[in-house]
Amino acid sequence: MREIYKPFVASDDPDRDIRCQDALQFAFRDLVGASVEAGWSEHEALEAIITLADDSLRRIGANDDAQTLLDVLRRMA
């Protein structure tokens, strides 16, 4: 898999999401290509990547929600 370059813009840059996509695009293509070479269809690989990304975003959100709840509980104690 190709190297993913580091961000070169500030975290509040309005184009940071586009820069991240640029950084990931070749590694993403390599991942899909490797999946196809392993015997998965491109459609299957893309669906799996979407599901994994969605699961990861939900986990991050759940962790953020749990942390907020823990903070409230700590203040109540």
Side-chain angles (χ1 to χ4, degrees):
M1 187 176 303
R2 299 178 209 204
E3 184 177 346
I4 298 169
Y5 62 82
K6 296 178 181 182
F8 58 89
V9 295
S11 60
D12 61 348
D13 187 289
D15 292 332
R16 188 170 167 100
D17 59 334
I18 294 169
R19 302 294 168 242
C20 185
Q21 290 172 30
D22 289 344
L24 294 176
Q25 70 177 324
F26 295 113
F28 175 77
R29 288 181 192 169
D30 289 348
L31 175 61
V32 173
S35 300
V36 170
E37 285 180 25
W40 302 102
S41 72
E42 184 175 13
H43 189 265
E44 289 171 318
L46 292 171
E47 282 189 347
I49 292 167
I50 290 167
T51 300
L52 291 168
D54 185 56
D55 289 349
S56 293
L57 286 171
R58 289 175 191 268
R59 188 172 44 257
I60 290 168
N63 288 342
D64 290 346
D65 291 346
Q67 187 59 52
T68 301
L69 180 58
L70 288 171
D71 292 343
V72 169
L73 292 172
R74 284 189 189 105
R75 285 193 297 265
M76 293 174 62

